[in-house]
Amino acid sequence: MSVNPPLACDISKKDPMYESEATRFIRDFLKKNPQVVEQQRKNRATWWDKPQDLETSNEHSESAVPQPPYVYFPLPKRDAGKP
């Protein structure tokens, strides 16, 4: 009779202190390199944390051109005289 190894979901249920290898790696890396956290904050502020101008945002959304339903193949143009 062969014994199947426990699945990852079974291990986490049996051991509430289970910690994945990736989580341990990141925790150890940040412990050894505390400057990384500050660098992450600085870089986030550079790219994402920007003040938003509602007026400009509204102008952009109002000036948007509606996209055709199928953009990869243009539909033939209709003549004004034909139904």
Side-chain angles (χ1 to χ4, degrees), residues 8 13 19-21 23 27 29 34 38 49 52 73 75 78 80-81:
K13 288 178 185 175
E19 186 174 69
S20 72
E21 208 173 307
T23 303
R27 185 171 288 129
F29 177 79
E38 185 57 38
D49 296 339
Q52 300 297 311
F73 186 81
L75 296 174
R78 286 188 180 179

Side-chain angles (χ1 to χ4, degrees), residues 18-68:
Y18 172 75
E19 186 174 69
S20 72
E21 208 173 307
T23 303
R24 273 182 283 167
F25 170 77
I26 291 171
R27 185 171 288 129
D28 292 342
F29 177 79
L30 292 176
K31 217 180 268 184
K32 293 175 186 171
N33 303 292
Q35 75 279 4
V36 170
V37 175
E38 185 57 38
Q39 186 178 7
Q40 284 177 324
R41 286 191 185 113
K42 186 181 90 175
N43 290 342
R44 178 186 167 98
T46 301
W47 294 104
W48 286 281
D49 296 339
K50 299 285 184 189
Q52 300 297 311
D53 181 15
L54 275 170
E55 187 177 329
T56 306
S57 178
N58 287 337
E59 287 175 7
H60 285 210
S61 60
E62 288 171 0
S63 66
V65 177
Q67 185 176 1

